Amino acid sequence: MTDRHHLLVHGGTFAAVGDGGDISGVRGGSSPDGLFVRDARHLSRWQLTVDGAVPEALSPVADGDTARCVLVPRGGRQEPSAYAIFREQAAGDSSFVELLRVTSNRPVPVTVRLALTVDADFADQFELRSDHRTYAKTGAVRSRRVVEDGVEFTYRRGEWRSRTTVTADPAPDAVEETGTGARRLVWTLDLAPHATAELTLRVIARPHGEKRALRVPRSPGAVNEQLLALEGSFVEGVAFPTGWPELAAACARGLADLAALQVPATGPDGEELRVPAAGAPWFLTLLGRDALLTSLFALPYRPQLAAATLPALAATQATGTDAGSVAQPGKIVHEVRHGELAHFGQVPYGRYYGSVDATPLFLVLLGSYVEQTGDTGLARRLEPHARAAVGWMLDHGGLTSRGYLVYRADRGGLANQNWKDSPGAICSADGTRPTGPVMAAGAQGYAYDALRRTAWLARTAWDDETYAALLEQAAGDLRDRFQRDFWMPDRSFPALALDGDGRQVDALASDAGHLLWSGLLDKEYGEAVGRRLLEPDFFSGWGVRTLAAGQAAYHPLSYHRGSVWPHDNALITLGLARYGLHDEARAVAHALVDAATATGHRLPEVLAGYGRDTHAEPVPYPHACVRESRSAAAPLALLTAVGGA
């Protein structure tokens, strides 16, 4: 993560703090700091001063589930610090807790004046993105009041209500105004020679609509115990490869991250579920595509992720048409948001359906889950949702009218609605963007697999042979059309997409590897594509680039036009193994594992596309999510594809 922020993640809550444990509240930048719950910032300042000055970090915060650092007053070599401050912080469920220990280094009594400036701006995450957008918040009122052992901040706008309560043990000697809306909690500590004084600070965040009785953990250590127990339950029982310790470590790290990235959701009957969030800091929420791919990667090892994701997405499946949210009957949701701007319709993402591929992936996961677990009960329960999803693909999705799944740019939301969803991600080799409706190659592979797997469900779980035959025929026809329309004979490679007039969008892109995973290509074509993806313009040594180098559109620091995505490479590796290209699959798997090993066994959302031949360490992408569920699950997909090789 950039800007030297350190993430503490616990379900739907995360805190981003600086090297010294402070929160500055500065807006803008790639990743603002603060305490965030349900898309809102519930702490925007958390700044410690000692004797009127900001201490320096003797031992800065390191990565981990608990933030620990050691601070000392600023001074010179000839004046040893009179005391040291040991700071320990953790994020809990809608909470934040800090333990401060002030230890005297002197043999005589010392008086220390400790002050903590706190504030809560309740900013929506969309306000904090560096895209220069502003949002009117007419009638919004922020207030604060002193309580017995701290201070409480409240925010209201119409029916919207949020609150943050900060308390301390022992209570502060005073709560001072700062002239900015923030409040300063002040303590005067009289320390005996070499003595230690402790303060515990607790924060409860109550977002709009929160009805639970919230409790703050007693200490950061208690939060750490909870997280370790949760992480242990995710890791326990998985057979890691003994002959490849680096892959084993990446799998263990990924499972631990997946444990922390579970967020609450609701099923079709109102049942409470925990599903994988997309990633922190920007996407600690349910994203259809991300949750589906994460659950697919983890399916052989943690099928409970799929068992929760499927009903959660069924519960949010569109039943009508709405142009603002791109909803159409049967479509699976792309993104669910709980923030103020979504509530008031200022951003379309409360329930946003701008994804062409979440719907087929829902069917792929359902079929894969039943095949893996034998749980036909879930297939029968979700049969109406699955049939509606197939109906969307055939009707609104475009399979019947256009022959392919089609999307159109959404002016209020996403220009591209496949996994490469940034503006300009779908392009020709020269960088030209397609006009009109877009038929992205990868989505056609998902549709093919979805039709085949749903046909299998119809035959084995729903006892509907007629429907099964219909879907198998549709899948076969799609395969024939695709190889006719997308294949570029002069390059022995499929086009990235077709434009609105059916012209090939001719960039050489990693999406072709998804076609291997889906099984859409004939064996001869598939083998040619798989070997092509390992040539030097595609393969950086850390993975397969999203766009082959040497094309005018390529840029190693572009989000989708030259970078290396771990989940993209996981799908490619599974596809290579499917087509019998085991040497190539192992090459990609080893590259990804090496990248994980260089970054503490944790794969980020995305890496820069610079080659290993010129950069001995993987170069980070500057705006990547550090904790990302698809990347966390990617090592499990590698384990499935190549075993312990």
Side-chain angles (χ1 to χ4, degrees), residues 39 70 93 101 110 207 283 327 428 437 444 493 557 572 578 591 623:
D39 300 327
V70 181
D93 180 13
R101 289 185 293 117
V110 174
F283 298 101
S428 298
Q444 316 314 321
F493 208 77
L557 287 173
I572 290 168
R578 177 173 185 159
H623 308 293

Side-chain angles (χ1 to χ4, degrees), residues 306-392:
T309 294
L310 288 164
L313 291 174
T316 54
Q317 186 176 30
T319 56
T321 300
D322 178 72
S325 62
V326 206
Q328 294 165 332
K331 203 173 186 184
I332 295 299
V333 75
H334 170 63
E335 184 170 354
V336 177
R337 288 288 181 176
H338 306 280
E340 174 191 359
L341 297 181
H343 176 83
F344 287 105
Q346 292 175 275
V347 297
Y349 303 110
R351 282 191 184 179
Y352 180 65
Y353 294 86
S355 164
V356 74
D357 50 13
T359 306
L361 286 171
F362 173 82
L363 296 166
V364 171
L365 179 60
L366 180 60
S368 301
Y369 172 81
V370 175
E371 183 179 8
Q372 177 77 36
T373 66
D375 182 5
T376 56
L378 186 62
R380 289 191 292 271
R381 182 189 179 200
L382 299 184
E383 180 182 353
H385 302 279
R387 288 179 181 265
V390 171
W392 176 83

Side-chain angles (χ1 to χ4, degrees), residues 45 47 117-119 142 144 153 176-184:
R45 286 189 71 186
Q47 294 177 303
T117 302
V118 299
D119 199 4
R142 290 176 56 207
R144 63 282 298 162
F153 301 90
E176 301 174 346
E177 295 192 15
T178 63
T180 65
R183 294 294 184 264
R184 184 180 298 112

Side-chain angles (χ1 to χ4, degrees), residues 241-257:
T242 56
W244 194 356
E246 295 84 3
L247 176 58
C251 288
R253 178 68 267 171
L255 284 165
D257 282 347

Side-chain angles (χ1 to χ4, degrees), residues 83-86 99-105 189-199:
Y83 45 80
I85 303 101
F86 297 83
L99 176 64
L100 277 171
R101 289 185 293 117
V102 185
T103 298
S104 170
N105 297 326
L189 307 177
D190 294 316
L191 300 178
H194 297 292
T196 295
E198 289 190 353
L199 284 79

Side-chain angles (χ1 to χ4, degrees), residues 17-41:
V17 301
D19 280 344
D22 277 353
I23 294 168
S24 69
V26 174
R27 297 198 177 201
S30 61
S31 51
D33 55 0
L35 173 68
F36 292 84
V37 183
R38 291 172 69 89
D39 300 327
R41 182 158 67 177

Side-chain angles (χ1 to χ4, degrees), residues 175-253:
V175 178
E176 301 174 346
E177 295 192 15
T178 63
T180 65
R183 294 294 184 264
R184 184 180 298 112
L185 283 57
V186 179
W187 296 261
T188 300
L189 307 177
D190 294 316
L191 300 178
H194 297 292
T196 295
E198 289 190 353
L199 284 79
T200 302
L201 300 151
R202 296 183 175 93
V203 181
I204 291 182
R206 290 182 175 86
H208 177 74
E210 179 62 82
K211 295 180 174 62
R212 297 176 300 160
L214 299 174
R215 296 179 58 187
V216 184
R218 66 181 185 278
S219 67
V223 177
N224 198 44
E225 289 174 7
Q226 293 174 8
L227 283 171
L228 287 174
L230 183 61
E231 292 170 0
S233 69
F234 261 64
V235 174
E236 185 178 1
V238 177
F240 297 132
T242 56
W244 194 356
E246 295 84 3
L247 176 58
C251 288
R253 178 68 267 171

Side-chain angles (χ1 to χ4, degrees), residues 480-496:
D480 292 342
R481 283 195 304 275
F482 183 90
Q483 296 188 150
R484 178 193 70 212
D485 296 340
F486 277 78
W487 190 255
M488 300 185 292
D490 56 330
R491 303 190 186 186
S492 298
F493 208 77
L496 174 57

